[in-house]
Amino acid sequence: MNHRPAMPLSKAQKLRQLIESKGLEFILEAHNGISARIAEEAGFKGIWASGLALSAQFGVRDNNEASWTQVVDMLEFMSDTTSIPILLDGDTGYGNFNNMRRLVRKLEQRQVAGVCIEDKVFPKTNSFIGGERQPLADADEFCGKIAAGKDSQSDDDFCIVARVEALIAGWDIREALRRAEAYRHAGADAILIHSKLSRPDQILEFATEWANRAPLVIVPTKYYSTPVEVFRKAEISLVIWANHMIRSAVNTMQKTASLIFESEGLIDIEDRIASVDEIFRLQGADELADAERRYFSSYQPDTKALILAAARGDDLGGLTEQRPKAMVPVGGIPLLRRLVDKCKKRAIDDITVVAGYKAASIDVSGINIIVNEQHASTGELASLACALDTFTDDMVVMYGDLLFRSYILRDLIESDACLSVVVDSAIDGNTHVGTQDFAYCSESDDRSMWGQAVTLRRIATDLPSPEEKQPDGRWIGMIRVKGEGRRWLVDAIEALRGSEDFNTLAIPDLINFMLESDRDIRVWYIHGHWLDVNSLADLERAGDFTAGQDS
Ligand code: SPV
Ligand code: MG
């Protein structure tokens, strides 16, 4: 047995299947790349590149005012953005048999699956504008055009649909049948029989007389109230919903334009129209992001910063009466502003701040704020958990009262461990009142271990007695999360959420929990060059720290 995987069908094969299928099939009008994609997403198995809709979106009449190359250029966008077949409404073939030959070749080059040509005279007019006055093409000449098109296609499955306009132009069924038969003999793959009546009578009579000699295609724009069961029973092959995307777009755009004009604002319209993100999705923005990761050598992943700034900072007294600690100015600039600037300098532009105490006083631009409404009765871990939905697999979590030299963040970002923490080994010179997160590590920092893999063992908030093993440094309040590290973090938060004391837990509790769960946490040693602000004395030091240096 041959188990070779089946080749995917070409677009031309798909159109041929639609046209030749036993059941009734439907295709929808589209007039540009985005409408074509929307038609495919809705579930349609094919697209009608309508001459009316294409000319309308260009803002011109359906009288061959847009050149055929302009039409073909638009088809290229439509074809590139879809995997379903496109049947072009090719009007009269844009000239004689010779123009038709070139058209077919150009369409095949763009993977357009077929073309429908109508037996009228170039330049044509839409069938619903004074149809009776429109001259029909000479049937023999039209047959030559069909044959020329068939002879010039290189893919056997490319379809040429011959459209009979006799009923539109006021001829009778016999003329329509005579022409359809001639076109079938000339090589047409299907016949489109068009009518402008509001009832399907002419179409049904034609179908009965035609008796399935070749697949029949119809455009029920005028007889739209006819149930499709009627078409099914008449053994029609393909129904074209010919202009409903352009009409719905026009309707919505008219309403939107008036509303914005009249209200002189966007507030009334924003929720009624597609979001900008939806446009990005339809444009395939995600695929580009993936491709950048794979192919773009200087690609820098979008690192996110998550800053915890819910605390008041009780030891700062009156300074934090009206604002959280993170908004206390150092050298005239709030701590949080300094932190955000540090992030932006490292191209970290996705910055989420978890606020709590006096959240409304945070007026730092360039951040997204999440509020821990329970900040008064919960701790750091609960604040972090508020931002769980924004976690990414490439982020840095930081306290909002940190001041540090830029290189610390730069080096931390370069760490490829799932979780990394920054530990200051200059422990003696930097201990002061306030939170003390003493770090015990697999190795002490002997200042010559640049890049060596040191791991964290535990964080303790109290210094041990002098005879016990002394800590290797202080955790400065920064965690780097990468890849799998995000899941470790989320799993640990979810597990701790179940514990009774969850609301009182701090980030070191989370870190210790992960260590107890055998997660590997990498240590990045630094030696000074940072501060956190817990007291007025810290604040004074902070002023000195920032004075004259900003790197
Ligand atoms: C089109 O969609 O451009 C057509 C169908 O040709 S109709 O407008 O009904 O003639
Ligand atoms: Mg048309």
Side-chain angles (χ1 to χ4, degrees):
M1 280 250 297
N2 187 348
H3 284 297
R4 248 186 301 164
M7 285 279 286
L9 293 183
S10 71
K11 288 180 176 177
Q13 283 171 320
K14 289 180 188 172
L15 180 63
R16 182 162 291 283
Q17 282 193 354
L18 278 182
I19 286 178
E20 293 181 354
S21 95
K22 290 275 166 273
L24 181 63
E25 303 284 356
F26 303 90
I27 63 176
L28 181 69
E29 169 261 311
H31 48 270
N32 56 21
I34 204 162
S35 60
R37 180 165 279 199
I38 290 170
E40 175 164 6
E41 282 191 352
F44 280 95
K45 290 194 255 172
I47 285 167
W48 170 246
S50 153
L52 170 64
L54 282 162
S55 50
Q57 64 81 42
F58 281 125
V60 298
R61 288 166 286 226
D62 190 12
N63 291 68
N64 297 116
E65 289 184 345
S67 72
W68 75 273
T69 53
Q70 288 171 321
V71 169
V72 168
D73 282 350
M74 182 59 86
L75 281 174
E76 187 168 306
F77 284 102
M78 295 167 65
S79 183
D80 285 350
T81 199
T82 49
S83 65
I84 54 175
I86 297 173
L87 175 62
L88 168 65
D89 170 7
D91 293 342
T92 58
Y94 310 113
N96 69 7
F97 77 93
N98 192 35
N99 303 91
M100 177 67 178
R101 294 195 300 184
R102 191 162 168 80
L103 174 66
V104 168
R105 286 198 296 269
K106 293 293 145 188
L107 292 179
E108 284 196 308
Q109 284 168 7
R110 287 160 181 77
Q111 277 86 49
V112 174
V115 62
C116 173
I117 51 169
E118 61 196 66
D119 52 358
K120 290 205 302 232
V121 180
F122 181 90
K124 45 78 35 128
T125 298
N126 186 276
S127 304
F128 300 141
I129 299 178
E132 281 86 358
R133 292 195 304 277
Q134 296 186 20
L136 292 186
D138 174 80
D140 289 339
E141 198 216 324
F142 195 70
C143 285
K145 212 182 265 185
I146 296 168
K150 289 307 292 176
D151 287 346
S152 52
Q153 70 187 55
S154 55
D155 180 345
D156 287 347
D157 288 310
F158 184 88
C159 287
I160 295 185
V161 178
R163 168 166 159 176
V164 176
E165 289 281 284
L167 303 176
I168 295 286
W171 296 79
D172 64 4
I173 291 277
R174 274 181 310 140
E175 177 64 9
L177 285 165
R178 188 183 73 78
R179 283 175 172 262
E181 181 63 3
Y183 304 159
R184 182 174 77 90
H185 276 292
D189 297 289
I191 298 297
L192 189 159
I193 182 69
H194 205 11
S195 164
K196 59 183 181 211
L197 301 186
S198 58
R199 294 178 48 81
D201 304 7
Q202 288 180 319
I203 297 294
L204 298 179
E205 193 187 339
F206 181 94
T208 308
E209 294 293 326
W210 182 251
N212 261 327
R213 279 176 257 172
L216 272 190
V217 182
I218 61 170
V219 184
T221 302
K222 293 288 180 184
Y223 46 101
Y224 64 86
S225 57
T226 311
V228 292
E229 277 316 316
V230 173
F231 306 143
R232 217 167 249 129
K233 208 160 149 216
E235 295 186 87
I236 303 294
S237 295
L238 187 66
V239 168
I240 297 174
W241 308 124
N243 44 44
H244 303 83
M245 296 291 269
I246 189 80
R247 285 166 59 195
S248 65
V250 163
N251 194 250
T252 307
M253 287 193 283
Q254 283 168 334
K255 286 184 186 144
T256 301
S258 303
L259 203 59
I260 295 177
F261 179 76
E262 277 153 24
S263 68
E264 293 190 334
L266 303 175
I267 200 92
D268 294 332
I269 201 69
E270 182 61 29
D271 295 338
R272 300 193 197 182
I273 54 178
S275 66
V276 175
D277 281 347
E278 174 60 1
I279 303 296
F280 293 156
R281 189 191 68 77
L282 286 165
Q283 290 171 310
D286 284 353
E287 191 281 333
L288 179 57
D290 284 350
E292 275 175 348
R293 255 168 239 132
R294 266 178 285 135
Y295 304 124
F296 197 34
S297 59
S298 54
Y299 168 76
Q300 286 287 328
D302 289 337
T303 307
K304 178 194 176 76
L306 194 55
I307 300 173
L308 301 177
R312 169 174 178 172
D314 295 324
D315 294 335
L316 292 174
L319 275 177
T320 56
E321 208 167 295
Q322 300 302 332
R323 59 192 164 200
K325 178 167 60 169
M327 287 305 289
V328 168
V330 170
I333 302 171
L335 282 163
L336 185 59
R337 177 74 258 169
R338 289 181 176 277
L339 198 47
V340 168
D341 290 349
K342 278 264 165 17
C343 290
K344 294 189 88 65
K345 204 166 162 189
R346 297 263 64 89
I348 300 178
D349 295 312
D350 178 1
I351 303 169
T352 297
V353 172
V354 184
Y357 177 74
K358 300 284 181 201
S361 69
I362 296 183
D363 63 348
V364 170
S365 57
I367 58 173
N368 304 309
I369 298 186
I370 292 176
V371 180
N372 173 8
E373 303 287 358
Q374 262 76 53
H375 65 92
S377 56
T378 61
E380 290 165 8
L381 186 54
S383 286
L384 181 65
C386 288
L388 205 70
D389 289 346
T390 74
F391 283 15
T392 70
D393 47 18
D394 186 351
M395 63 174 188
V396 178
V397 181
M398 290 181 269
Y399 287 147
D401 62 349
L402 279 183
L403 288 166
F404 52 85
R405 297 272 298 275
S406 289
Y407 77 87
I408 295 178
L409 186 57
R410 183 199 61 198
D411 292 351
L412 182 66
I413 290 172
E414 276 168 21
S415 166
D416 55 6
C418 297
L419 287 179
S420 319
V421 292
V422 180
V423 171
D424 178 15
S425 61
I427 192 164
D428 296 336
N430 206 18
T431 49
H432 51 267
V433 216
T435 330
Q436 300 284 342
D437 297 321
F438 298 108
Y440 293 85
C441 309
S442 61
E443 311 279 342
S444 297
D445 182 17
D446 70 0
R447 311 284 292 119
S448 67
M449 27 197 335
W450 179 251
Q452 195 174 312
V454 178
T455 53
L456 186 65
R457 292 275 156 84
R458 174 168 67 91
I459 293 183
T461 44
D462 295 316
L463 267 180
S465 52
E467 61 277 4
E468 288 181 283
K469 171 168 169 35
Q470 296 301 300
D472 299 296
R474 274 186 72 197
W475 172 58
I476 76 163
M478 253 191 215
I479 310 175
R480 163 87 165 117
V481 182
K482 194 151 187 201
E484 186 75 344
R486 171 192 185 173
R487 194 176 57 75
W488 296 359
L489 209 60
V490 172
D491 287 353
I493 292 172
E494 294 300 0
L496 287 169
R497 229 193 256 279
S499 73
E500 267 174 24
D501 56 353
F502 179 72
N503 283 343
T504 64
L505 296 181
I507 306 301
D509 298 314
L510 175 71
I511 293 176
N512 286 335
F513 181 85
M514 288 191 285
L515 291 169
E516 283 156 22
S517 313
D518 286 334
R519 301 301 194 199
D520 237 26
I521 301 182
R522 181 79 56 87
V523 168
W524 275 86
Y525 275 127
I526 57 169
H527 206 69
H529 299 158
W530 74 284
L531 271 179
D532 56 0
V533 178
N534 292 303
S535 63
L536 293 171
D538 288 344
L539 205 54
E540 220 177 291
R541 266 194 289 262
D544 296 344
F545 183 82
T546 54
Q549 67 95 24
D550 200 25
S551 62

